[in-house]
């Protein structure tokens, strides 16, 4: 892992999905250091600890499952958006197997940046990750760029 | 001159003047018979009202006994003498009864006889005032007859305290009491003990008194103790000085209607419970399919994912046969995934609401073809003006299923050609046909086609879940339409869907 690489926070409780997602991130060459957390509480604890440090390194992007043990993806999202610090502006992408309209609407209500349904095949997952890399790591300008560079 | 003096003399006596005015007044009264009797009952004076009423002139009647005005029967009963006796004793007598005119005709009279005495108390005679009440009596009689002939309504009156003062046949029929039994009793008798205890009768009269009206429904009790559901109206009766003299009460037995209403209410409640149960069952099913879609598909994703990863990452190191096995794993999990998805879609179509909107056909077909069948020979031959009423996502799904079938079941060596047409049919429907040049279907197989999991062909030859046409059928029926197929083996098939035609926008 390179020193200057941005960090991608992956919050995913399903171990198989976590492995396959990390593999596809590597395969398409997303230029980021992946930190994998397994539930909502871990995510909140991690983010609280990071923001309280001096010279905090905020994630460039959070890729989070919707249904998580202990604290759901929605609750973590809500917590993030309620923070007074820069963390409240970090882009969050929900990656869920649910295409239930209620879930999608609620995620956007709580301020998700994008809602993606987990693809059924490896090929579809790889092409989704390619789009994600191009958009979030090359085209999009993040608010935390200013503080980092 | 003498006359003038005499007149002046008369006018100067106040008593004489007073009497003259009084006489003029009596003389001018035409609606009342006002006359004097001497102490024995002989007529001593007569006014024009008396002449008009009784038809005797003053000359004819003065000096005759007043009993000539009475019917024979009353004379035989010595009624005239009795009336004078009472008046002489107590000062006044009042009565109503039949009287006879000169021509022998009768009229209903109100009679007031007043004793007249001098300053020493000596009887001088009687003043008698008679009024013709024939018209009023007839009206009252008509009213009484009317009230009494009403059998479906209990109509009765109460005095100001609530004691029964009159009773009609309807009241007897509905409540079971005869007039003799009930007149004089308090109307709270008709109330249930609970209502009487709670002060309902008093409240009814109070409301009627204060607002001029009371209307209500409630249980009442018959003479035999049985109850009936009644609709009642109570109205206060006021005299000429607006003083309360009693109440009129109209009661209807609406037990049958009440029973019907109660029945209706019970049915409604049962229906509501059923609907609630079904809604809960639907919600449970929805939750169930939701967790199926989530939990069942997650392992499938893993199976496919790891099989693919194994092939790609370690393919070089595997024996040739192993790669073939991995491909089978991937294929099977992909099929399973599609099955779960289609089944969920099929189940959802049976439950969810499909709100209908106006759908212009041609734009929808263009979109479906572009998104799913681009580069294939699928040609919509649909007039631009045709629109149907339906649920657009469901109709799009139906088109996808029909068109992919049309392409899939092709004859070996014949490139697939699919045409889509739309025509207004006679009964306000639009028939949309998807016509192919594929293998066609044998007539004996047609009936099975639209059932879930029915497959006419091996999975290797023509892959599919066996749910596609079942979705077409359920979807079109849920949108108020229907579907069908015509086919000739070896020539091709025409699958059609009929949907309600949309009005011109």
């Amino acid at each position: 892992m390179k020193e200057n690489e941005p960090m991608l926070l992956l919050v995913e409780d399903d171990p198989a999905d976590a492995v396959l997602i990390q593999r596809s991130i590597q395969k398409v060459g997303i230029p980021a250091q992946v930190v994998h957390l397994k539930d909502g509480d871990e995510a909140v604890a991690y983010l609280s600890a990071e923001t309280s440090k001096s010279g905090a390194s905020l994630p460039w992007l959070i890729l989070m499952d919707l249904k998580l043990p202990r604290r759901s993806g929605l609750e973590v999202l809500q917590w993030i958006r309620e923070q007074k610090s820069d963390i409240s502006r970090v882009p969050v992408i929900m990656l869920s197997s649910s295409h239930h309209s209620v879930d999608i609407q609620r995620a956007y209500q709580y301020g998700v940046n994008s809602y993606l349904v987990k693809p059924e095949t490896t090929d579809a997952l790889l092409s989704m990750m390619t789009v994600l890399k191009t958009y979030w790591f090359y085209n999009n300008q993040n608010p935390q760029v200013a503080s980092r560079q | 001159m003498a006359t003038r003096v005499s007149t002046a003399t008369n006018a100067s006596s106040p008593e004489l003047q007073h009497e003259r005015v009084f006489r003029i007044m009596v003389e001018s009264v035409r609606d009342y018979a006002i006359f004097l009797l001497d102490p024995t009952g002989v007529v001593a004076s007569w006014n024009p009202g008396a002449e008009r009423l009784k038809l005797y002139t003053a000359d004819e009647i003065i000096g005759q006994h007043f009993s000539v005005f009475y019917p024979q029967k009353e004379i035989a009963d010595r009624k005239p003498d009795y009336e004078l006796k009472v008046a002489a004793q107590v000062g006044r007598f009042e009565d109503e009864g039949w009287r006879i005119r000169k021509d022998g005709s009768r009229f209903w009279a109100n009679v007031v006889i007043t004793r007249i005495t001098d300053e020493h108390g000596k009887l001088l005679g009687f003043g008698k005032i008679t009024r013709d009440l024939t018209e009023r009596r007839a009206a009252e009689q008509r009213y009484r007859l009317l009230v009494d002939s009403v059998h479906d309504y209990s109509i009765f009156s109460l005095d100001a305290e609530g004691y029964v003062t009159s009773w009609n046949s309807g009241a007897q029929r509905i409540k079971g009491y005869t007039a003799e039994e009930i007149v004089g009793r308090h109307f709270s008798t008709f109330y249930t003990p609970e209502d009487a205890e709670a002060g309902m009768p008093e409240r009814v009269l109070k409301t009627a008194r204060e607002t001029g009206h009371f209307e209500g429904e409630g249980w009442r009790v018959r003479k035999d103790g049985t109850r009936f559901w009644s609709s009642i109206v109570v109205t206060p009766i006021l005299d000429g000085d607006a003083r309360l003299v009693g109440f009129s009460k109209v009661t209807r037995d609406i037990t049958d209607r009440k029973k019907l209403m109660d029945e209706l209410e019970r049915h409604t409640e049962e229906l509501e419970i059923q609907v609630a149960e079904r809604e809960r069952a639907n919600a449970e099913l929805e939750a169930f399919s939701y967790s199926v879609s989530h939990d069942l598909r997650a392992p499938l994703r893993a199976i496919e994912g790891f099989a693919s990863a194994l092939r790609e990452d370690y393919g070089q190191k595997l024996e040739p046969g192993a790669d073939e096995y991995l491909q089978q794993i991937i294929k099977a999990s992909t099929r399973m995934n599609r099955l779960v998805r289609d089944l969920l879609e099929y189940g959802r179509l049976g439950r969810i609401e499909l709100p209908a909107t106006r759908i212009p056909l041609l734009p929808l077909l263009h979109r479906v073809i572009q998104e799913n069948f681009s580069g294939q020979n699928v040609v919509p031959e649909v007039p631009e003006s045709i629109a149907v009423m339906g649920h657009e996502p469901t109709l799009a799904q139906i088109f996808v299923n029909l068109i992919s079938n049309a392409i899939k079941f092709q004859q070996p060596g014949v490139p697939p050609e699919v045409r889509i047409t739309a025509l207004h049919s006679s009964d306000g429907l639009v028939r949309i046909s998807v016509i192919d040049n594929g293998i066609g279907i044998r007539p004996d197989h047609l009936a099975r086609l639209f059932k879930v999991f029915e497959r006419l062909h091996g999975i290797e030859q023509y892959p599919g879940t066996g749910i596609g046409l079942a979705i077409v059928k359920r979807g079109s029926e849920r949108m108020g339409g229907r579907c069908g197929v015509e086919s000739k083996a070896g020539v091709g098939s025409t699958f059609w869907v009929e949907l309600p035609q949309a009005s011109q926008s």
Side-chain angles (χ1 to χ4, degrees):
Chain A
M1 279 177 247
K2 288 163 232 160
E3 193 55 35
N4 234 0
E5 251 182 6
M7 189 247 287
L8 187 155
L9 190 62
L10 174 66
V11 191
E12 171 64 69
D13 64 313
D14 186 320
D17 276 351
V19 170
L20 290 172
I21 290 166
Q22 289 189 78
R23 172 178 177 270
S24 63
I25 288 171
Q26 252 177 12
K27 272 239 148 172
V28 304
I30 288 179
Q33 173 192 340
V34 178
V35 173
H36 174 216
L37 303 172
K38 294 183 185 65
D39 66 49
D41 276 358
E42 268 186 35
V44 169
Y46 178 87
L47 291 169
S48 312
E50 276 302 308
T51 45
S52 61
K53 282 199 288 215
S54 61
S57 65
L58 290 172
W60 183 255
L61 189 69
I62 298 175
L63 205 51
M64 182 159 59
D65 195 3
L66 184 67
K67 307 233 169 354
L68 293 168
R70 300 206 277 197
R71 205 187 288 229
S72 77
L74 277 184
E75 287 170 293
V76 178
L77 174 63
Q78 204 176 8
W79 180 87
I80 291 170
R81 295 301 184 232
E82 277 168 2
Q83 298 313 297
K84 297 280 176 287
S85 58
D86 285 347
I87 180 112
S88 68
R89 291 190 295 272
V90 171
V92 175
I93 294 175
M94 213 55 97
L95 185 56
S96 165
S97 55
S98 162
H99 38 66
H100 216 267
S101 62
V102 174
D103 287 335
I104 298 168
Q105 278 163 18
R106 204 168 294 157
Y108 280 103
Q109 258 169 33
Y110 287 10
V112 82
N113 294 76
S114 177
Y115 186 106
L116 303 174
V117 177
K118 285 178 183 170
E120 286 168 13
T121 65
T122 306
D123 286 349
L125 180 62
L126 287 173
S127 57
M128 179 183 279
M129 286 302 164
T130 308
V131 172
L132 202 130
K133 172 182 83 172
T134 312
Y135 183 76
W136 289 103
F137 288 85
Y138 291 102
N139 295 344
N140 182 60
Q141 298 297 319
N142 275 15
Q144 58 264 51
V145 170
S147 61
R148 212 167 55 86
Q149 290 181 342
Chain B
M1 195 68 178
T3 315
R4 195 159 55 90
V5 170
S6 149
T7 308
T9 312
N10 285 348
S12 66
S13 155
E15 255 168 51
L16 278 177
Q17 176 78 352
H18 187 254
E19 200 188 311
R20 201 172 65 91
V21 169
F22 182 72
R23 185 175 295 277
I24 290 168
M25 193 189 85
V26 170
E27 293 284 306
S28 64
V29 169
R30 297 183 54 81
D31 294 333
Y32 289 80
I34 303 174
F35 52 97
L36 292 168
L37 303 176
D38 73 9
T40 62
V42 171
V43 177
S45 80
W46 203 241
N47 82 330
E51 183 174 338
R52 204 178 128 262
L53 195 57
K54 306 197 186 222
L55 305 176
Y56 295 97
T57 62
D59 294 341
E60 288 167 337
I61 198 67
I62 289 175
Q64 290 203 55
H65 194 262
F66 85 111
S67 58
V68 298
F69 307 134
Y70 286 77
Q72 280 304 318
K73 187 181 170 296
E74 303 207 338
I75 296 170
D77 290 347
R78 309 185 66 81
K79 186 114 187 278
D81 291 341
Y82 167 77
E83 288 180 5
L84 289 190
K85 212 169 99 187
V86 173
Q89 274 167 14
V90 306
R92 192 173 182 279
F93 177 87
E94 184 167 356
D95 187 26
E96 282 192 11
W98 290 113
R99 295 294 183 273
I100 312 291
R101 295 194 186 91
K102 182 188 166 191
D103 63 1
S105 62
R106 292 173 160 227
F107 67 97
W108 186 263
N110 169 274
V111 178
V112 179
I113 301 174
T114 314
R115 182 181 63 190
I116 303 173
T117 54
D118 67 11
E119 58 265 44
H120 308 297
K122 184 173 174 278
L123 183 67
L124 296 177
F126 302 93
K128 193 168 183 231
I129 301 177
T130 305
R131 232 180 342 152
D132 181 355
L133 295 182
T134 313
E135 266 308 304
R136 202 190 75 186
R137 184 181 150 81
E140 277 178 9
Q141 202 115 33
R142 278 197 300 274
Y143 167 75
R144 201 165 297 147
L145 269 171
L146 179 78
V147 166
D148 214 53
S149 63
V150 172
H151 292 281
D152 295 336
Y153 288 78
S154 139
I155 303 174
F156 57 98
S157 56
L158 309 174
D159 68 12
E161 274 75 50
Y163 291 91
V164 177
T165 53
S166 80
W167 197 244
N168 81 332
S169 64
Q172 177 166 346
R173 197 182 68 79
I174 292 173
K175 305 201 172 172
Y177 297 96
T178 63
E180 292 72 43
E181 287 170 328
I182 200 67
V183 168
R185 285 177 66 182
H186 197 260
F187 86 115
S188 56
T189 312
F190 309 133
Y191 284 77
T192 63
E194 309 91 85
D195 283 350
E197 195 123 314
M200 184 88 104
E202 290 73 24
R203 270 209 306 284
V204 167
L205 295 191
K206 184 164 183 277
T207 306
R209 207 162 48 231
E210 285 169 3
T211 67
H213 188 73
F214 175 88
E215 214 172 322
E217 289 189 6
W219 289 111
R220 294 292 183 277
V221 183
R222 296 193 187 90
K223 184 188 168 191
D224 63 9
T226 55
R227 292 181 177 200
F228 66 99
W229 185 263
S230 72
S231 147
I232 69 163
V233 178
V234 179
T235 316
I237 304 169
L238 307 177
D239 68 8
D241 298 324
R243 272 191 308 256
L244 181 77
V245 294
F247 298 93
S248 76
K249 196 163 178 234
V250 179
T251 306
R252 243 181 333 150
D253 179 353
I254 54 166
T255 311
D256 290 347
R257 201 180 75 188
K258 165 82 174 160
K259 272 187 194 149
L260 269 175
M261 296 296 283
D262 286 352
E263 192 106 327
L264 206 72
E265 209 166 292
R266 221 186 50 242
H267 280 308
T268 311
E269 269 169 27
E270 272 170 18
L271 254 171
E272 274 167 6
I273 291 170
Q274 279 175 13
V275 167
E277 272 169 7
R278 213 178 55 195
E279 273 170 4
R280 205 180 51 235
N282 268 351
E284 274 169 14
L285 256 172
E286 198 67 46
F288 171 73
S289 23
Y290 178 74
S291 62
V292 164
S293 75
H294 186 266
D295 296 346
L296 218 58
R297 293 166 92 183
L300 281 173
R301 216 166 37 236
I303 294 167
E304 192 277 339
F306 282 105
S308 295
L310 192 57
R311 269 191 83 206
E312 285 168 21
D313 298 356
Y314 301 98
Q316 314 293 340
K317 301 176 186 168
L318 294 172
E319 301 278 322
D323 187 60
E324 171 62 24
Y325 289 178
L326 284 175
Q327 282 189 48
Q328 290 297 340
I329 293 173
I330 293 165
K331 241 199 215 165
S333 64
T334 307
R335 222 182 96 225
M336 177 80 177
N337 221 327
R338 203 164 294 148
L339 254 172
V340 171
R341 194 187 56 204
D342 283 1
L343 259 184
L344 284 173
E345 181 57 30
Y346 181 70
R348 244 168 63 83
L349 266 185
R351 289 191 309 276
I352 60 163
E353 291 292 316
L354 301 177
T357 55
R358 184 177 188 278
I359 312 170
L361 272 186
L362 196 58
L364 176 63
L365 281 167
H366 278 312
R367 181 166 68 76
V368 167
I369 293 166
Q370 196 200 334
E371 283 174 8
N372 303 278
F373 309 103
S374 93
Q376 313 220 45
N377 192 355
V378 181
V379 184
E381 298 171 359
V382 173
E384 210 160 333
S385 62
I386 290 190
V388 295
M389 289 306 291
H391 183 241
E392 190 163 323
T394 304
L395 187 56
Q397 180 69 55
I398 286 174
F399 286 153
V400 169
N401 292 6
L402 288 180
I403 296 169
S404 54
N405 275 356
I407 293 170
K408 187 163 63 181
F409 295 99
Q410 58 177 287
Q411 304 197 55
V414 181
E417 273 173 34
V418 181
R419 291 187 304 125
I420 300 153
T421 63
L423 286 169
H424 290 287
S425 70
S426 53
D427 40 5
L429 296 170
V430 173
R431 177 180 284 219
I432 309 154
S433 302
V434 178
I435 306 159
D436 68 45
N437 61 342
I439 56 175
I441 305 151
R442 272 170 37 201
D444 52 323
H445 287 159
L446 288 177
R448 289 163 51 199
L449 270 183
F450 292 96
K451 291 181 179 153
V452 183
F453 288 135
E454 284 293 347
R455 298 182 47 86
L456 299 179
H457 305 281
I459 195 88
E460 286 301 317
Q461 196 184 358
Y462 295 108
T465 59
I467 304 171
L469 284 180
I471 288 177
V472 169
K473 183 169 195 293
R474 184 172 270 186
S476 52
E477 283 170 1
R478 285 296 313 280
M479 289 189 289
R482 55 189 173 193
C483 64
V485 60
E486 283 141 23
S487 185
K488 218 170 184 180
V491 177
S493 305
T494 298
F495 282 86
W496 55 263
V497 172
E498 284 183 346
L499 288 176
Q501 176 189 331
S503 55
Q504 295 299 313
S505 63

